Amino acid sequence: MKLFFLVEREIKENKMNFKIPLIIGILSILFNFTASWKNQDFIYESNSTNLFISNHIISGISSNFAFDLSGVLFLFLFISYISSTLPKERKNGSYMFWRSMPVSNSMHLISKLFYSLIVLPFYCLLLFLSLELSILIKYTLAHWGNIVSQEILSFFIFNLLNFLKNIFFTSIVLFPLASLFLVVSQITKRPIVIVIIASFFIFLFSSLFLHGILYEYLLHNYFSLSFKVITSEHPYQEITNFGLNRMIGLLFIGFGLFLYASKLYGKESLSRRFSI
């Protein structure tokens, strides 16, 4: 029950993360229904076992656009939230308040992981669902009098399941990065700046002394992985291309970083101590 109370608090204190997908969804749906209604063809590909969407050739937004928009928005909301949540608590004074409450440090940080890796994807899922419904409704109205075929409904369900699969794997990929930010946020007031600077120095060191291998192995492939997974038709394949052993290793590192973040949370903020 404590976890749900903490997550509810995160939802109430971060209402803008819900409003952004809502506004984007409303504007996209309005654009979809005010765009030209000509050339309302529905193109698809199928084989004996699976049904695949090739494209919606419709004047307005497409299913592929809805998929990519919702996925990229999740990445944006994730980075924006996880890099600012602890510094914002210190700034508005709630940091000391929650430290005085009978809630464990780990539980407090778990609520932030839950919000960033489950609640935010759910917001973007609602956005994707609304855009897909608007595409389906527009197609149905454009072919008024014709019964919507089972294939088209299958497209809708297939796209929805595909997006669920993508955000599931993306949340797994982002867990180590979320844990890293929970640590860095407690030793600096500007975590995202520090992460970027540290990445640059790793890139510089790797380029000068290791022919870029360290940067390519540690950072470049991992930072680009979340984008590949969220926009790919085969997210699991992207992870296997990255390397399952590497991914499992990063998850263990992420768990270790989370434990360290919980330990830091129970101490005096290092950023206050050093004014970083």
Side-chain angles (χ1 to χ4, degrees):
M1 292 300 293
K2 289 183 178 180
L3 176 61
F4 290 106
F5 170 74
L6 292 172
V7 172
E8 182 182 8
R9 162 185 163 264
E10 292 294 328
I11 293 173
K12 290 179 179 179
E13 291 187 355
N14 296 276
K15 293 180 180 179
M16 185 56 65
N17 289 333
F18 175 76
K19 292 179 181 179
I20 291 175
L22 178 63
I23 294 171
I24 291 176
I26 292 173
L27 293 177
S28 298
I29 292 172
L30 288 176
F31 170 76
N32 190 37
F33 282 101
T34 55
S36 172
W37 286 57
K38 297 180 180 180
N39 302 321
Q40 306 290 328
D41 297 323
F42 195 85
I43 310 300
Y44 65 91
E45 299 173 356
S46 64
N47 59 30
S48 58
T49 57
N50 294 303
L51 197 60
F52 298 97
I53 290 186
S54 174
N55 196 10
H56 292 275
I57 310 300
I58 301 178
S59 298
I61 62 175
S62 69
S63 182
N64 293 337
F65 172 79
F67 198 101
D68 292 342
L69 174 65
S70 303
V72 172
L73 181 62
F74 166 43
L75 297 181
F76 169 78
L77 293 177
F78 167 81
I79 291 295
S80 176
Y81 168 80
I82 203 67
S83 64
S84 64
T85 178
L86 291 181
K88 185 171 71 173
E89 283 188 354
R90 289 198 299 268
K91 186 176 180 180
N92 62 26
S94 61
Y95 174 79
M96 297 304 297
F97 170 76
W98 286 106
R99 282 186 61 186
S100 66
M101 295 293 289
V103 177
S104 67
N105 301 325
S106 58
M107 183 64 68
H108 185 73
L109 296 182
I110 286 174
S111 71
K112 296 187 177 299
L113 289 178
F114 188 97
Y115 180 83
S116 62
L117 300 177
I118 296 179
V119 176
L120 291 181
F122 177 73
Y123 289 164
C124 295
L125 175 64
L126 293 180
L127 170 63
F128 175 75
L129 184 61
S130 63
L131 296 181
E132 283 287 287
L133 281 173
S134 73
I135 293 171
L136 183 63
I137 291 171
K138 183 174 181 179
Y139 176 81
T140 303
L141 294 176
H143 295 77
W144 191 255
N146 297 330
I147 299 176
V148 179
S149 66
Q150 182 179 355
E151 287 82 1
I152 295 176
L153 293 177
S154 298
F155 293 148
F156 175 78
I157 296 172
F158 181 81
N159 258 2
L160 178 61
L161 294 177
N162 248 1
F163 190 75
L164 281 170
K165 178 177 63 177
N166 281 39
I167 59 176
F168 171 75
F169 283 115
T170 303
S171 292
I172 292 176
V173 169
L174 289 175
F175 169 69
L177 185 60
S179 298
L180 174 64
F181 271 109
L182 291 179
V183 171
V184 178
S185 295
Q186 297 184 75
I187 60 178
T188 176
K189 297 177 181 178
R190 302 171 182 85
I192 195 166
V193 175
I194 297 300
V195 169
I196 292 174
I197 293 175
S199 301
F200 172 75
F201 277 107
I202 292 175
F203 166 75
L204 191 62
F205 176 82
S206 179
S207 300
L208 291 176
F209 302 104
L210 299 172
H211 306 288
I213 296 175
L214 181 64
Y215 173 78
E216 191 74 19
Y217 187 83
L218 285 181
L219 298 179
H220 181 263
N221 289 342
Y222 173 69
F223 285 159
S224 61
L225 179 62
S226 57
F227 179 80
K228 291 178 181 178
V229 170
I230 197 65
T231 58
S232 174
E233 293 182 2
H234 307 286
Y236 181 74
Q237 184 64 44
E238 296 294 342
I239 295 177
T240 55
N241 291 340
F242 174 77
L244 282 177
N245 291 336
R246 290 170 64 185
M247 191 68 248
I248 292 173
L250 285 173
L251 291 175
F252 276 108
I253 292 174
F255 182 71
L257 287 172
F258 172 78
L259 294 178
Y260 184 59
S262 299
K263 184 178 179 181
L264 283 178
Y265 198 76
K267 298 179 179 180
E268 180 185 355
S269 173
L270 295 178
S271 63
R272 287 175 178 270
R273 193 181 304 167
F274 298 111
S275 299
I276 301 176

PDB file of all heavy atoms in Angstrom, residues 213-234:
ATOM      1  N   ILE A 213      36.928   2.037 -28.670  1.00  0.00           N
ATOM      2  CA  ILE A 213      36.259   0.780 -28.306  1.00  0.00           C
ATOM      3  C   ILE A 213      35.449   0.933 -27.022  1.00  0.00           C
ATOM      4  O   ILE A 213      34.308   0.470 -26.921  1.00  0.00           O
ATOM      5  CB  ILE A 213      37.295  -0.354 -28.148  1.00  0.00           C
ATOM      6  CG1 ILE A 213      37.978  -0.622 -29.485  1.00  0.00           C
ATOM      7  CG2 ILE A 213      36.628  -1.625 -27.624  1.00  0.00           C
ATOM      8  CD1 ILE A 213      39.083  -1.642 -29.396  1.00  0.00           C
ATOM      9  N   LEU A 214      36.039   1.597 -26.016  1.00  0.00           N
ATOM     10  CA  LEU A 214      35.358   1.735 -24.724  1.00  0.00           C
ATOM     11  C   LEU A 214      34.052   2.505 -24.874  1.00  0.00           C
ATOM     12  O   LEU A 214      33.010   2.089 -24.354  1.00  0.00           O
ATOM     13  CB  LEU A 214      36.275   2.451 -23.721  1.00  0.00           C
ATOM     14  CG  LEU A 214      35.706   2.660 -22.316  1.00  0.00           C
ATOM     15  CD1 LEU A 214      35.458   1.325 -21.646  1.00  0.00           C
ATOM     16  CD2 LEU A 214      36.659   3.505 -21.476  1.00  0.00           C
ATOM     17  N   TYR A 215      34.081   3.630 -25.597  1.00  0.00           N
ATOM     18  CA  TYR A 215      32.870   4.436 -25.793  1.00  0.00           C
ATOM     19  C   TYR A 215      31.820   3.648 -26.572  1.00  0.00           C
ATOM     20  O   TYR A 215      30.638   3.652 -26.234  1.00  0.00           O
ATOM     21  CB  TYR A 215      33.214   5.728 -26.528  1.00  0.00           C
ATOM     22  CG  TYR A 215      32.004   6.533 -26.928  1.00  0.00           C
ATOM     23  CD1 TYR A 215      31.327   7.306 -25.994  1.00  0.00           C
ATOM     24  CD2 TYR A 215      31.528   6.519 -28.244  1.00  0.00           C
ATOM     25  CE1 TYR A 215      30.201   8.038 -26.349  1.00  0.00           C
ATOM     26  CE2 TYR A 215      30.411   7.250 -28.604  1.00  0.00           C
ATOM     27  CZ  TYR A 215      29.763   7.998 -27.663  1.00  0.00           C
ATOM     28  OH  TYR A 215      28.661   8.718 -28.021  1.00  0.00           O
ATOM     29  N   GLU A 216      32.268   2.986 -27.632  1.00  0.00           N
ATOM     30  CA  GLU A 216      31.336   2.222 -28.465  1.00  0.00           C
ATOM     31  C   GLU A 216      30.684   1.109 -27.669  1.00  0.00           C
ATOM     32  O   GLU A 216      29.488   0.849 -27.792  1.00  0.00           O
ATOM     33  CB  GLU A 216      32.085   1.650 -29.671  1.00  0.00           C
ATOM     34  CG  GLU A 216      31.195   1.072 -30.749  1.00  0.00           C
ATOM     35  CD  GLU A 216      30.487   2.132 -31.569  1.00  0.00           C
ATOM     36  OE1 GLU A 216      30.931   3.293 -31.566  1.00  0.00           O
ATOM     37  OE2 GLU A 216      29.472   1.787 -32.212  1.00  0.00           O
ATOM     38  N   TYR A 217      31.476   0.455 -26.818  1.00  0.00           N
ATOM     39  CA  TYR A 217      30.979  -0.698 -26.066  1.00  0.00           C
ATOM     40  C   TYR A 217      30.078  -0.275 -24.909  1.00  0.00           C
ATOM     41  O   TYR A 217      29.024  -0.868 -24.670  1.00  0.00           O
ATOM     42  CB  TYR A 217      32.149  -1.524 -25.539  1.00  0.00           C
ATOM     43  CG  TYR A 217      31.743  -2.823 -24.899  1.00  0.00           C
ATOM     44  CD1 TYR A 217      31.507  -3.949 -25.680  1.00  0.00           C
ATOM     45  CD2 TYR A 217      31.587  -2.934 -23.517  1.00  0.00           C
ATOM     46  CE1 TYR A 217      31.133  -5.164 -25.101  1.00  0.00           C
ATOM     47  CE2 TYR A 217      31.202  -4.134 -22.939  1.00  0.00           C
ATOM     48  CZ  TYR A 217      30.983  -5.232 -23.738  1.00  0.00           C
ATOM     49  OH  TYR A 217      30.592  -6.417 -23.163  1.00  0.00           O
ATOM     50  N   LEU A 218      30.502   0.768 -24.178  1.00  0.00           N
ATOM     51  CA  LEU A 218      29.784   1.141 -22.960  1.00  0.00           C
ATOM     52  C   LEU A 218      28.606   2.071 -23.206  1.00  0.00           C
ATOM     53  O   LEU A 218      27.560   1.928 -22.596  1.00  0.00           O
ATOM     54  CB  LEU A 218      30.744   1.795 -21.969  1.00  0.00           C
ATOM     55  CG  LEU A 218      31.711   0.882 -21.217  1.00  0.00           C
ATOM     56  CD1 LEU A 218      32.562   1.699 -20.269  1.00  0.00           C
ATOM     57  CD2 LEU A 218      30.967  -0.212 -20.465  1.00  0.00           C
ATOM     58  N   LEU A 219      28.788   3.063 -24.078  1.00  0.00           N
ATOM     59  CA  LEU A 219      27.818   4.146 -24.152  1.00  0.00           C
ATOM     60  C   LEU A 219      27.026   4.197 -25.451  1.00  0.00           C
ATOM     61  O   LEU A 219      25.799   4.175 -25.428  1.00  0.00           O
ATOM     62  CB  LEU A 219      28.533   5.490 -23.931  1.00  0.00           C
ATOM     63  CG  LEU A 219      29.213   5.656 -22.568  1.00  0.00           C
ATOM     64  CD1 LEU A 219      29.896   7.001 -22.484  1.00  0.00           C
ATOM     65  CD2 LEU A 219      28.196   5.508 -21.447  1.00  0.00           C
ATOM     66  N   HIS A 220      27.735   4.269 -26.576  1.00  0.00           N
ATOM     67  CA  HIS A 220      27.044   4.533 -27.837  1.00  0.00           C
ATOM     68  C   HIS A 220      25.982   3.479 -28.136  1.00  0.00           C
ATOM     69  O   HIS A 220      24.824   3.805 -28.423  1.00  0.00           O
ATOM     70  CB  HIS A 220      28.052   4.624 -28.980  1.00  0.00           C
ATOM     71  CG  HIS A 220      27.410   4.911 -30.303  1.00  0.00           C
ATOM     72  ND1 HIS A 220      27.100   3.914 -31.210  1.00  0.00           N
ATOM     73  CD2 HIS A 220      26.998   6.078 -30.860  1.00  0.00           C
ATOM     74  CE1 HIS A 220      26.532   4.450 -32.268  1.00  0.00           C
ATOM     75  NE2 HIS A 220      26.462   5.760 -32.091  1.00  0.00           N
ATOM     76  N   ASN A 221      26.372   2.219 -28.096  1.00  0.00           N
ATOM     77  CA  ASN A 221      25.422   1.150 -28.408  1.00  0.00           C
ATOM     78  C   ASN A 221      24.269   1.101 -27.413  1.00  0.00           C
ATOM     79  O   ASN A 221      23.128   0.833 -27.785  1.00  0.00           O
ATOM     80  CB  ASN A 221      26.138  -0.208 -28.433  1.00  0.00           C
ATOM     81  CG  ASN A 221      27.040  -0.351 -29.642  1.00  0.00           C
ATOM     82  OD1 ASN A 221      26.901   0.375 -30.617  1.00  0.00           O
ATOM     83  ND2 ASN A 221      27.975  -1.283 -29.576  1.00  0.00           N
ATOM     84  N   TYR A 222      24.564   1.368 -26.131  1.00  0.00           N
ATOM     85  CA  TYR A 222      23.500   1.312 -25.120  1.00  0.00           C
ATOM     86  C   TYR A 222      22.558   2.505 -25.246  1.00  0.00           C
ATOM     87  O   TYR A 222      21.329   2.338 -25.196  1.00  0.00           O
ATOM     88  CB  TYR A 222      24.089   1.274 -23.715  1.00  0.00           C
ATOM     89  CG  TYR A 222      23.034   1.378 -22.648  1.00  0.00           C
ATOM     90  CD1 TYR A 222      22.128   0.342 -22.436  1.00  0.00           C
ATOM     91  CD2 TYR A 222      22.902   2.536 -21.881  1.00  0.00           C
ATOM     92  CE1 TYR A 222      21.130   0.437 -21.478  1.00  0.00           C
ATOM     93  CE2 TYR A 222      21.916   2.640 -20.917  1.00  0.00           C
ATOM     94  CZ  TYR A 222      21.023   1.597 -20.713  1.00  0.00           C
ATOM     95  OH  TYR A 222      20.034   1.696 -19.774  1.00  0.00           O
ATOM     96  N   PHE A 223      23.097   3.716 -25.396  1.00  0.00           N
ATOM     97  CA  PHE A 223      22.247   4.902 -25.473  1.00  0.00           C
ATOM     98  C   PHE A 223      21.352   4.876 -26.705  1.00  0.00           C
ATOM     99  O   PHE A 223      20.246   5.419 -26.685  1.00  0.00           O
ATOM    100  CB  PHE A 223      23.101   6.171 -25.477  1.00  0.00           C
ATOM    101  CG  PHE A 223      23.670   6.512 -24.120  1.00  0.00           C
ATOM    102  CD1 PHE A 223      24.776   7.327 -23.997  1.00  0.00           C
ATOM    103  CD2 PHE A 223      23.090   6.025 -22.966  1.00  0.00           C
ATOM    104  CE1 PHE A 223      25.294   7.648 -22.754  1.00  0.00           C
ATOM    105  CE2 PHE A 223      23.595   6.325 -21.713  1.00  0.00           C
ATOM    106  CZ  PHE A 223      24.701   7.148 -21.609  1.00  0.00           C
ATOM    107  N   SER A 224      21.815   4.278 -27.778  1.00  0.00           N
ATOM    108  CA  SER A 224      20.987   4.197 -28.986  1.00  0.00           C
ATOM    109  C   SER A 224      20.031   3.010 -28.940  1.00  0.00           C
ATOM    110  O   SER A 224      19.086   2.944 -29.727  1.00  0.00           O
ATOM    111  CB  SER A 224      21.875   4.094 -30.227  1.00  0.00           C
ATOM    112  OG  SER A 224      22.678   2.924 -30.187  1.00  0.00           O
ATOM    113  N   LEU A 225      20.263   2.077 -28.006  1.00  0.00           N
ATOM    114  CA  LEU A 225      19.452   0.866 -27.951  1.00  0.00           C
ATOM    115  C   LEU A 225      17.998   1.160 -27.624  1.00  0.00           C
ATOM    116  O   LEU A 225      17.088   0.574 -28.231  1.00  0.00           O
ATOM    117  CB  LEU A 225      20.035  -0.106 -26.917  1.00  0.00           C
ATOM    118  CG  LEU A 225      19.280  -1.433 -26.727  1.00  0.00           C
ATOM    119  CD1 LEU A 225      19.280  -2.239 -28.024  1.00  0.00           C
ATOM    120  CD2 LEU A 225      19.910  -2.245 -25.597  1.00  0.00           C
ATOM    121  N   SER A 226      17.750   2.061 -26.668  1.00  0.00           N
ATOM    122  CA  SER A 226      16.369   2.350 -26.270  1.00  0.00           C
ATOM    123  C   SER A 226      15.561   2.901 -27.441  1.00  0.00           C
ATOM    124  O   SER A 226      14.390   2.546 -27.621  1.00  0.00           O
ATOM    125  CB  SER A 226      16.348   3.332 -25.102  1.00  0.00           C
ATOM    126  OG  SER A 226      17.036   4.523 -25.437  1.00  0.00           O
ATOM    127  N   PHE A 227      16.196   3.756 -28.262  1.00  0.00           N
ATOM    128  CA  PHE A 227      15.487   4.303 -29.430  1.00  0.00           C
ATOM    129  C   PHE A 227      15.215   3.208 -30.452  1.00  0.00           C
ATOM    130  O   PHE A 227      14.136   3.154 -31.047  1.00  0.00           O
ATOM    131  CB  PHE A 227      16.318   5.427 -30.065  1.00  0.00           C
ATOM    132  CG  PHE A 227      15.671   6.034 -31.276  1.00  0.00           C
ATOM    133  CD1 PHE A 227      14.656   6.974 -31.144  1.00  0.00           C
ATOM    134  CD2 PHE A 227      16.063   5.656 -32.552  1.00  0.00           C
ATOM    135  CE1 PHE A 227      14.050   7.528 -32.261  1.00  0.00           C
ATOM    136  CE2 PHE A 227      15.469   6.202 -33.671  1.00  0.00           C
ATOM    137  CZ  PHE A 227      14.460   7.143 -33.527  1.00  0.00           C
ATOM    138  N   LYS A 228      16.196   2.338 -30.658  1.00  0.00           N
ATOM    139  CA  LYS A 228      16.003   1.238 -31.611  1.00  0.00           C
ATOM    140  C   LYS A 228      14.884   0.308 -31.155  1.00  0.00           C
ATOM    141  O   LYS A 228      14.057  -0.127 -31.961  1.00  0.00           O
ATOM    142  CB  LYS A 228      17.307   0.447 -31.766  1.00  0.00           C
ATOM    143  CG  LYS A 228      18.430   1.197 -32.473  1.00  0.00           C
ATOM    144  CD  LYS A 228      19.691   0.344 -32.535  1.00  0.00           C
ATOM    145  CE  LYS A 228      20.824   1.083 -33.213  1.00  0.00           C
ATOM    146  NZ  LYS A 228      22.078   0.269 -33.236  1.00  0.00           N
ATOM    147  N   VAL A 229      14.854   0.010 -29.867  1.00  0.00           N
ATOM    148  CA  VAL A 229      13.858  -0.929 -29.344  1.00  0.00           C
ATOM    149  C   VAL A 229      12.454  -0.345 -29.427  1.00  0.00           C
ATOM    150  O   VAL A 229      11.508  -1.035 -29.834  1.00  0.00           O
ATOM    151  CB  VAL A 229      14.200  -1.316 -27.889  1.00  0.00           C
ATOM    152  CG1 VAL A 229      13.053  -2.102 -27.250  1.00  0.00           C
ATOM    153  CG2 VAL A 229      15.471  -2.152 -27.847  1.00  0.00           C
ATOM    154  N   ILE A 230      12.287   0.919 -29.077  1.00  0.00           N
ATOM    155  CA  ILE A 230      10.945   1.507 -29.032  1.00  0.00           C
ATOM    156  C   ILE A 230      10.356   1.707 -30.422  1.00  0.00           C
ATOM    157  O   ILE A 230       9.138   1.728 -30.589  1.00  0.00           O
ATOM    158  CB  ILE A 230      10.950   2.860 -28.252  1.00  0.00           C
ATOM    159  CG1 ILE A 230       9.518   3.266 -27.849  1.00  0.00           C
ATOM    160  CG2 ILE A 230      11.593   3.955 -29.083  1.00  0.00           C
ATOM    161  CD1 ILE A 230       8.860   2.342 -26.879  1.00  0.00           C
ATOM    162  N   THR A 231      11.193   1.816 -31.444  1.00  0.00           N
ATOM    163  CA  THR A 231      10.695   2.068 -32.798  1.00  0.00           C
ATOM    164  C   THR A 231      10.806   0.848 -33.713  1.00  0.00           C
ATOM    165  O   THR A 231      10.405   0.921 -34.871  1.00  0.00           O
ATOM    166  CB  THR A 231      11.469   3.236 -33.444  1.00  0.00           C
ATOM    167  OG1 THR A 231      12.878   2.928 -33.463  1.00  0.00           O
ATOM    168  CG2 THR A 231      11.244   4.532 -32.689  1.00  0.00           C
ATOM    169  N   SER A 232      11.325  -0.251 -33.201  1.00  0.00           N
ATOM    170  CA  SER A 232      11.571  -1.422 -34.047  1.00  0.00           C
ATOM    171  C   SER A 232      10.342  -2.326 -34.126  1.00  0.00           C
ATOM    172  O   SER A 232       9.534  -2.400 -33.196  1.00  0.00           O
ATOM    173  CB  SER A 232      12.768  -2.221 -33.507  1.00  0.00           C
ATOM    174  OG  SER A 232      12.936  -3.425 -34.223  1.00  0.00           O
ATOM    175  N   GLU A 233      10.218  -3.028 -35.255  1.00  0.00           N
ATOM    176  CA  GLU A 233       9.183  -4.050 -35.374  1.00  0.00           C
ATOM    177  C   GLU A 233       9.570  -5.311 -34.611  1.00  0.00           C
ATOM    178  O   GLU A 233       8.714  -6.141 -34.306  1.00  0.00           O
ATOM    179  CB  GLU A 233       8.954  -4.391 -36.855  1.00  0.00           C
ATOM    180  CG  GLU A 233       8.356  -3.263 -37.672  1.00  0.00           C
ATOM    181  CD  GLU A 233       8.119  -3.679 -39.106  1.00  0.00           C
ATOM    182  OE1 GLU A 233       8.394  -4.857 -39.436  1.00  0.00           O
ATOM    183  OE2 GLU A 233       7.670  -2.837 -39.900  1.00  0.00           O
ATOM    184  N   HIS A 234      10.865  -5.454 -34.319  1.00  0.00           N
ATOM    185  CA  HIS A 234      11.357  -6.634 -33.619  1.00  0.00           C
ATOM    186  C   HIS A 234      12.277  -6.181 -32.478  1.00  0.00           C
ATOM    187  O   HIS A 234      13.502  -6.271 -32.579  1.00  0.00           O
ATOM    188  CB  HIS A 234      12.110  -7.549 -34.586  1.00  0.00           C
ATOM    189  CG  HIS A 234      11.328  -7.914 -35.814  1.00  0.00           C
ATOM    190  ND1 HIS A 234      10.290  -8.809 -35.787  1.00  0.00           N
ATOM    191  CD2 HIS A 234      11.426  -7.461 -37.101  1.00  0.00           C
ATOM    192  CE1 HIS A 234       9.785  -8.923 -37.005  1.00  0.00           C
ATOM    193  NE2 HIS A 234      10.460  -8.120 -37.817  1.00  0.00           N
TER     194      HIS A 234
END
